Amino acid sequence: MLPGKFGDLMTNLDTFRAFYKGKRVLLTGHTGFKGSWLAIWLYELGAEVIGVSLEPYTERDNFVLSGIGKRIVDLRGDIRDGEKMKQIFQQYRPEIVFHLAAQPIVRLSYEIPVETYETNVMGTIRILEAMRNTPDVKVGVMITTDKCYENKEQIWGYRENEPLGGYDPYSSSKGAAEIAIASWRRSFFNPETYEKHGQSIASVRAGNVIGGGDWALDRIVPDCIRALEAGKPIEIRSPQAVRPWQHVLEPLSGYLLLAMKMWEEPTRYCEGWNFGPHAESVATVWEIANQIADLYGGGEVKDVSQAGALHEAKLLMLDISKAKYYLNWEPRLAVQEAVRLTTDWYRRYRQEPVDRICVEQIEKYMLSQ
């Protein structure tokens, strides 16, 4: 049996390792920011990790510098290619699937809206179909985003049963993906007929995730680091935009915990879940940029907001009461610590082995109180 509290679970490393050791776990999007951290964590826990993804974004990505691709089954594939996904699933027969592959950038979705929808909606459906045709799969955790909710910029957090939607192509595509996941769960993975199909499917939503090794365009942390490394001012488009900031290890811990719960009680946890930070970790983009600059060693932060710019949400928060109550999960890092860990990675990555930095941060997180 799992311990009753998340804190107890995470300080008991043997419990986590005992569950994941030897499990065949497939990750889509493992070359990406969150995917690379999850691949490293699972590898350290002794899982047999199979990664399916496109090429990494840059040669400085966490996936490349950590060398995790050399330690796992590292495959290239487009999740929109349904036949290839089915072939990979049938060959490697994963028991647990974490689906992270996506087109994840809001501003880019205005430039490639069709590709965004093809990847985020049809790509998700292709993975669901590959899982449906692979009896070995017992648990599937489908990662979407907090932006899947119809955002009214209300001052309280969104709960899992609130309306889905999205203003921009990225956000709306993730809302559509959530609808597809719920439809496939009712139609093909229904908990009421679990004895027939034997598969448990859940979707998870996180807030603005930060951490080392992310170099995507139009994200606040990579933008800050690129400016600081070049000795240029950090230019902020939406300084007063409010975000629920959290370190990448926070939601990943929730995903790992949820998958274990689903394995043990497959009909109880197969639904949508929020994994966001505490309300105290909500801060403006301006505040985060200044914290990064200070921790990095100093730098100028410049307001370059303009009237008529592309729409970006000013306020979006998650209610995590459900995860706290039913999973005994809650975030462990204050926003200041999340920013410190993130900046620490970028200050060290050029001088130290990145895999060592990542494992060190994972171990500290698992042992933190």
Side-chain angles (χ1 to χ4, degrees), residues 247-308:
H247 191 269
V248 63
L249 297 179
E250 296 276 38
L252 295 187
S253 70
Y255 305 166
L256 291 168
L257 177 62
L258 175 62
M260 288 195 294
K261 293 281 193 178
M262 293 167 68
W263 186 278
E264 292 202 340
E265 297 183 73
T267 63
R268 182 179 179 185
Y269 299 101
C270 51
E271 49 193 40
W273 298 88
N274 288 341
F275 293 104
H278 288 302
E280 294 79 12
S281 289
V282 173
T284 66
V285 173
W286 184 259
E287 291 170 329
I288 296 301
N290 276 280
Q291 287 181 38
I292 292 172
D294 290 343
L295 288 166
Y296 195 82
E300 179 186 357
V301 182
K302 186 177 180 181
D303 182 349
V304 295
S305 55
Q306 295 179 348

Side-chain angles (χ1 to χ4, degrees), residues 127-203:
I127 296 302
L128 288 167
E129 283 294 277
M131 292 165 57
R132 187 160 75 95
N133 285 278
T134 309
D136 296 85
V137 175
K138 303 304 179 187
V139 169
V141 179
M142 317 298 286
I143 287 79
T144 64
T145 175
D146 60 348
K147 297 176 180 63
C148 69
Y149 293 107
E150 181 63 45
N151 187 14
K152 302 175 182 178
E153 302 198 359
Q154 61 194 29
I155 60 174
W156 52 88
Y158 292 93
R159 295 181 178 178
E160 288 86 348
N161 60 356
E162 296 202 52
L164 302 169
Y167 182 104
D168 56 85
Y170 166 71
S171 302
S172 59
S173 74
K174 285 298 195 174
E178 283 280 359
I179 292 172
I181 293 164
S183 173
W184 255 250
R185 181 167 50 234
R186 287 191 293 265
S187 301
F188 308 113
F189 308 114
N190 198 307
E192 294 182 3
T193 58
Y194 177 78
E195 295 303 320
K196 292 183 178 180
H197 57 76
Q199 296 178 308
S200 181
I201 310 299
S203 62

Side-chain angles (χ1 to χ4, degrees), residues 2-16:
L2 295 176
K5 291 186 179 297
F6 176 67
D8 294 338
L9 172 64
M10 297 304 288
T11 54
N12 185 351
L13 304 186
D14 292 337
T15 304
F16 235 175

Side-chain angles (χ1 to χ4, degrees), residues 66-235:
S66 69
I68 186 60
K70 300 174 184 177
R71 301 178 176 93
I72 65 174
V73 177
D74 178 25
L75 306 175
R76 294 292 171 270
D78 191 321
I79 59 172
R80 295 172 294 180
D81 186 342
E83 286 306 311
K84 184 167 186 177
M85 293 303 106
K86 287 181 183 179
Q87 291 170 7
I88 290 172
F89 272 66
Q90 289 169 7
Q91 178 178 353
Y92 291 96
R93 299 168 36 243
E95 300 168 287
I96 300 173
V97 175
F98 292 97
H99 172 52
L100 296 93
Q103 192 298 94
I105 308 298
V106 171
R107 289 174 67 84
L108 181 59
S109 75
Y110 283 103
E111 299 176 20
I112 53 169
V114 175
E115 183 177 336
T116 297
Y117 258 74
E118 288 174 344
T119 301
N120 295 350
V121 182
M122 288 309 302
T124 295
I125 289 173
R126 298 298 187 192
I127 296 302
L128 288 167
E129 283 294 277
M131 292 165 57
R132 187 160 75 95
N133 285 278
T134 309
D136 296 85
V137 175
K138 303 304 179 187
V139 169
V141 179
M142 317 298 286
I143 287 79
T144 64
T145 175
D146 60 348
K147 297 176 180 63
C148 69
Y149 293 107
E150 181 63 45
N151 187 14
K152 302 175 182 178
E153 302 198 359
Q154 61 194 29
I155 60 174
W156 52 88
Y158 292 93
R159 295 181 178 178
E160 288 86 348
N161 60 356
E162 296 202 52
L164 302 169
Y167 182 104
D168 56 85
Y170 166 71
S171 302
S172 59
S173 74
K174 285 298 195 174
E178 283 280 359
I179 292 172
I181 293 164
S183 173
W184 255 250
R185 181 167 50 234
R186 287 191 293 265
S187 301
F188 308 113
F189 308 114
N190 198 307
E192 294 182 3
T193 58
Y194 177 78
E195 295 303 320
K196 292 183 178 180
H197 57 76
Q199 296 178 308
S200 181
I201 310 299
S203 62
V204 295
R205 306 130 191 190
N208 270 49
V209 176
I210 61 176
D214 181 12
W215 295 103
L217 296 174
D218 292 320
R219 281 185 181 156
I220 183 61
V221 172
D223 286 351
C224 287
I225 299 301
R226 277 189 287 263
L228 291 167
E229 288 187 344
K232 298 179 179 179
I234 299 171
E235 297 184 346

